[in-house]
Amino acid sequence: MKKKVCIWGGGWSGLTAALELSESNKCEIHIYEASNTLGGKILGSVNEEKISTHAIRLISEYYPAFADVCSRIPTEKNKTLLDRWSPVEFFNFYSSEKNKKHLINRKIDKSFSGNFQLLKAALLTFELRFYDIYLVYLAIKKFRELNENKIQQLEEEKLTVETYLKAYKLSKKAKDFLFTYLGITVAARPTSTATMSLDLMSKMFVGVYRSHHLTKNTYKNHKSWVIDGPLGDRLLPPFLEELKKRGVYFHTNTTVTSFDVSNKDNPIALTNTNEKIIADAHILALNNKVIEQLGFGRKNMPLQNEWSIGGILPLKHIPKALQQTNYKTVTAVMDSNWAIVYVIWAKNNKGGFWSNDINFPEETNYFLEIVTSRLDYKGINNKTFFECNSEEASSEILKQIGVDDHLISDLTSKFIFSDCLSYTNETKKDKFSLYSKTNSDGFSWKLYAPIYTSSPETLPLTINTNIPNVFLCGEAVASSYPYIKTPTLELTSETAKEAVQMIFNYLKINQKVNQEYPERFLKRQKM
């Protein structure tokens, strides 16, 4: 008889867990999704009826788990989801106030100067001293030499990255650069854990292991990618179709509300539809706040959730201030108060990232998509994001990226925030969402499914739980590699793989999950 495994949550992590479980013919797999649509944070669509988004998802060369999953999902004509990765040609460090831009080529360049493009852009944009760069290098070098026991010790000491870097006496400009870049990439703060921030800095400045999938001719000359269209349109349909072919069962509008653990070795999942579900194993691939409500968080140490939001703007023409050398550029506005990153989406036939198969609405030739996370800082209008209404927030974002004032009024009316964000006057609070303080108009901002950020006081969760057959995966869960928390498609893929391997071990199923670890990590484990 097959072993029944229930996956609670139908986002990327839950779908990945189902894919890995389906490699064994000894599992009966059920995915339960609370909403009426699977996808979670990878929902996003562009059509005549609706334009929606969650965030810009930048894919890095150090995403072996995500690359592996994509390589196993067929699309059409012997292609896979890997073929829907669109290479990024440039990163643009942009200063809107000084009207400076410094392009970083994201193609592989093995020359001496090629390895220092990011540092050169940092020097020019932030007017740093070479000595500051040298000090950053020393901090990273020391971190890379640590073994896992030392890294664990840093965690136990509750060391923040700000405290760790004090010994190196960086200038204010250097610290501003590092925290701006970390804030833009993973919503990290000076109070974030030293291990998370230093591991990310190591990847940024020194380079890391590449998945074997990315050594093939199509990918070997690039370092970064995006998906070639809205995530919900390009990733979800092939993934769901493949899981159906593998016999995975889907249940929508159903979620677990609690576990009856009177028999701890065989807990019963109680659902919002009054069902009692018994399974051989459970995976919780859920919103961070839902995991805590179910009692699988750390007692007296609630997860720290971060406001990180996205928005999209349909355009007929590109405002002059936003015109790039080409449309395959990701721009970080390094002097923006709210740490803004933006991309201009255009079709391949216009030199852009997106497939020509994407159907743009009438009168739309481009999309401007933004992500911003430093929302408690004052903007140009001397208000934080939370103090603005939706129109004021849209206007402020456009001002911070340099759009001319005379265009802003018209563009603001077309700006669409991500589906999980709303400006609401609802009186009944949703316990799974974040809320800002109520403004004078009686409205407040509501964010469903916030991202988790690691700090010494709120470390990520572990995959195994106090119930033997219940496991966690997702972006608030720490994987073995990296031993950090960065809210990425890589981490959600990796923790899903590790959770499934633990289930195979628990159920005594002789099956090995496909995982890749860098040689540096394997050596570090043995030190």
Short mmCIF file of all heavy atoms in Angstrom, two decimals, residues 217-239:
data_model
loop_
_atom_site.label_atom_id
_atom_site.label_comp_id
_atom_site.label_asym_id
_atom_site.label_seq_id
_atom_site.Cartn_x
_atom_site.Cartn_y
_atom_site.Cartn_z
N ASN A 217 25.82 25.10 -22.81
CA ASN A 217 26.07 26.22 -23.73
C ASN A 217 25.06 27.35 -23.61
O ASN A 217 25.41 28.53 -23.66
CB ASN A 217 26.10 25.72 -25.18
CG ASN A 217 27.37 24.95 -25.50
OD1 ASN A 217 28.37 25.12 -24.81
ND2 ASN A 217 27.32 24.10 -26.50
N THR A 218 23.79 27.01 -23.43
CA THR A 218 22.75 28.04 -23.40
C THR A 218 22.91 28.98 -22.21
O THR A 218 22.52 30.14 -22.27
CB THR A 218 21.36 27.38 -23.33
OG1 THR A 218 21.27 26.39 -24.35
CG2 THR A 218 20.26 28.40 -23.51
N TYR A 219 23.50 28.48 -21.11
CA TYR A 219 23.52 29.22 -19.86
C TYR A 219 24.92 29.64 -19.40
O TYR A 219 25.04 30.51 -18.54
CB TYR A 219 22.87 28.38 -18.75
CG TYR A 219 21.53 27.83 -19.13
CD1 TYR A 219 21.41 26.54 -19.62
CD2 TYR A 219 20.39 28.61 -19.04
CE1 TYR A 219 20.17 26.03 -20.00
CE2 TYR A 219 19.15 28.12 -19.42
CZ TYR A 219 19.05 26.83 -19.90
OH TYR A 219 17.82 26.34 -20.28
N LYS A 220 25.95 29.02 -19.96
CA LYS A 220 27.28 29.14 -19.36
C LYS A 220 27.86 30.55 -19.43
O LYS A 220 28.78 30.86 -18.68
CB LYS A 220 28.24 28.16 -20.00
CG LYS A 220 28.60 28.46 -21.45
CD LYS A 220 29.59 27.43 -21.98
CE LYS A 220 30.03 27.75 -23.40
NZ LYS A 220 30.98 26.75 -23.92
N ASN A 221 27.33 31.41 -20.30
CA ASN A 221 27.90 32.74 -20.45
C ASN A 221 27.18 33.81 -19.63
O ASN A 221 27.46 35.00 -19.80
CB ASN A 221 27.90 33.15 -21.93
CG ASN A 221 28.86 32.29 -22.74
OD1 ASN A 221 29.92 31.91 -22.26
ND2 ASN A 221 28.47 31.97 -23.97
N HIS A 222 26.27 33.40 -18.75
CA HIS A 222 25.50 34.38 -17.99
C HIS A 222 25.53 34.08 -16.49
O HIS A 222 25.79 32.96 -16.08
CB HIS A 222 24.05 34.43 -18.48
CG HIS A 222 23.92 34.93 -19.88
ND1 HIS A 222 23.94 34.08 -20.97
CD2 HIS A 222 23.79 36.18 -20.38
CE1 HIS A 222 23.82 34.81 -22.09
NE2 HIS A 222 23.72 36.07 -21.74
N LYS A 223 25.26 35.13 -15.70
CA LYS A 223 25.27 35.02 -14.25
C LYS A 223 23.89 35.19 -13.63
O LYS A 223 23.67 34.78 -12.49
CB LYS A 223 26.19 36.09 -13.65
CG LYS A 223 27.65 35.97 -14.05
CD LYS A 223 28.45 37.10 -13.41
CE LYS A 223 29.91 37.05 -13.79
NZ LYS A 223 30.67 38.17 -13.17
N SER A 224 22.97 35.84 -14.34
CA SER A 224 21.66 36.15 -13.78
C SER A 224 20.58 36.01 -14.85
O SER A 224 20.84 36.24 -16.04
CB SER A 224 21.62 37.58 -13.23
OG SER A 224 22.63 37.78 -12.28
N TRP A 225 19.37 35.68 -14.39
CA TRP A 225 18.24 35.51 -15.29
C TRP A 225 16.96 36.02 -14.63
O TRP A 225 16.93 36.23 -13.42
CB TRP A 225 18.03 34.03 -15.63
CG TRP A 225 19.16 33.37 -16.33
CD1 TRP A 225 19.29 33.14 -17.68
CD2 TRP A 225 20.34 32.81 -15.73
NE1 TRP A 225 20.47 32.49 -17.93
CE2 TRP A 225 21.15 32.28 -16.77
CE3 TRP A 225 20.81 32.73 -14.42
CZ2 TRP A 225 22.38 31.68 -16.53
CZ3 TRP A 225 22.04 32.13 -14.17
CH2 TRP A 225 22.80 31.61 -15.22
N VAL A 226 15.93 36.20 -15.45
CA VAL A 226 14.55 36.37 -14.97
C VAL A 226 13.70 35.40 -15.78
O VAL A 226 14.15 34.83 -16.77
CB VAL A 226 14.04 37.82 -15.16
CG1 VAL A 226 14.76 38.79 -14.25
CG2 VAL A 226 14.17 38.26 -16.63
N ILE A 227 12.46 35.18 -15.35
CA ILE A 227 11.55 34.36 -16.14
C ILE A 227 11.02 35.19 -17.31
O ILE A 227 10.80 36.39 -17.19
CB ILE A 227 10.38 33.85 -15.26
CG1 ILE A 227 10.93 33.00 -14.10
CG2 ILE A 227 9.40 33.02 -16.08
CD1 ILE A 227 11.76 31.80 -14.51
N ASP A 228 10.82 34.54 -18.46
CA ASP A 228 10.49 35.27 -19.69
C ASP A 228 9.02 35.64 -19.82
O ASP A 228 8.46 35.63 -20.92
CB ASP A 228 10.96 34.46 -20.91
CG ASP A 228 10.16 33.19 -21.11
OD1 ASP A 228 9.37 32.82 -20.21
OD2 ASP A 228 10.32 32.54 -22.18
N GLY A 229 8.41 35.99 -18.70
CA GLY A 229 7.02 36.41 -18.71
C GLY A 229 6.47 36.37 -17.30
O GLY A 229 7.18 36.01 -16.35
N PRO A 230 5.21 36.74 -17.10
CA PRO A 230 4.61 36.69 -15.76
C PRO A 230 4.74 35.28 -15.18
O PRO A 230 4.50 34.29 -15.87
CB PRO A 230 3.15 37.07 -16.01
CG PRO A 230 3.17 37.83 -17.30
CD PRO A 230 4.26 37.21 -18.11
N LEU A 231 5.10 35.18 -13.89
CA LEU A 231 5.40 33.88 -13.31
C LEU A 231 4.21 32.93 -13.37
O LEU A 231 4.36 31.74 -13.66
CB LEU A 231 5.84 34.06 -11.85
CG LEU A 231 7.05 34.96 -11.60
CD1 LEU A 231 7.43 34.91 -10.13
CD2 LEU A 231 8.23 34.55 -12.45
N GLY A 232 3.02 33.46 -13.09
CA GLY A 232 1.84 32.61 -13.11
C GLY A 232 1.52 32.07 -14.49
O GLY A 232 0.95 30.98 -14.62
N ASP A 233 1.87 32.82 -15.52
CA ASP A 233 1.62 32.39 -16.89
C ASP A 233 2.69 31.43 -17.40
O ASP A 233 2.41 30.52 -18.18
CB ASP A 233 1.55 33.59 -17.83
CG ASP A 233 0.35 34.48 -17.57
OD1 ASP A 233 -0.63 33.99 -16.96
OD2 ASP A 233 0.38 35.66 -17.95
N ARG A 234 3.94 31.62 -16.97
CA ARG A 234 5.06 30.88 -17.57
C ARG A 234 5.53 29.68 -16.74
O ARG A 234 6.01 28.71 -17.29
CB ARG A 234 6.24 31.83 -17.80
CG ARG A 234 5.91 33.00 -18.70
CD ARG A 234 5.52 32.54 -20.10
NE ARG A 234 6.68 32.09 -20.87
CZ ARG A 234 6.59 31.47 -22.05
NH1 ARG A 234 5.41 31.19 -22.56
NH2 ARG A 234 7.69 31.11 -22.69
N LEU A 235 5.40 29.76 -15.40
CA LEU A 235 5.87 28.66 -14.57
C LEU A 235 4.76 27.68 -14.18
O LEU A 235 4.95 26.46 -14.18
CB LEU A 235 6.51 29.20 -13.29
CG LEU A 235 7.81 30.00 -13.43
CD1 LEU A 235 8.32 30.40 -12.04
CD2 LEU A 235 8.88 29.21 -14.16
N LEU A 236 3.60 28.21 -13.82
CA LEU A 236 2.57 27.37 -13.21
C LEU A 236 1.93 26.34 -14.13
O LEU A 236 1.86 25.16 -13.78
CB LEU A 236 1.48 28.24 -12.60
CG LEU A 236 1.69 28.69 -11.15
CD1 LEU A 236 0.51 29.52 -10.68
CD2 LEU A 236 1.87 27.49 -10.23
N PRO A 237 1.41 26.72 -15.32
CA PRO A 237 0.69 25.72 -16.13
C PRO A 237 1.51 24.45 -16.43
O PRO A 237 0.99 23.34 -16.22
CB PRO A 237 0.32 26.50 -17.40
CG PRO A 237 0.24 27.92 -16.95
CD PRO A 237 1.34 28.06 -15.94
N PRO A 238 2.78 24.57 -16.88
CA PRO A 238 3.53 23.33 -17.13
C PRO A 238 3.78 22.52 -15.85
O PRO A 238 3.75 21.28 -15.89
CB PRO A 238 4.85 23.83 -17.73
CG PRO A 238 4.59 25.20 -18.20
CD PRO A 238 3.57 25.76 -17.27
N PHE A 239 4.04 23.22 -14.75
CA PHE A 239 4.32 22.54 -13.48
C PHE A 239 3.09 21.73 -13.04
O PHE A 239 3.19 20.54 -12.68
CB PHE A 239 4.70 23.56 -12.41
CG PHE A 239 5.58 23.02 -11.31
CD1 PHE A 239 6.40 23.87 -10.60
CD2 PHE A 239 5.59 21.68 -10.99
CE1 PHE A 239 7.23 23.39 -9.58
CE2 PHE A 239 6.41 21.18 -9.97
CZ PHE A 239 7.23 22.04 -9.26
#
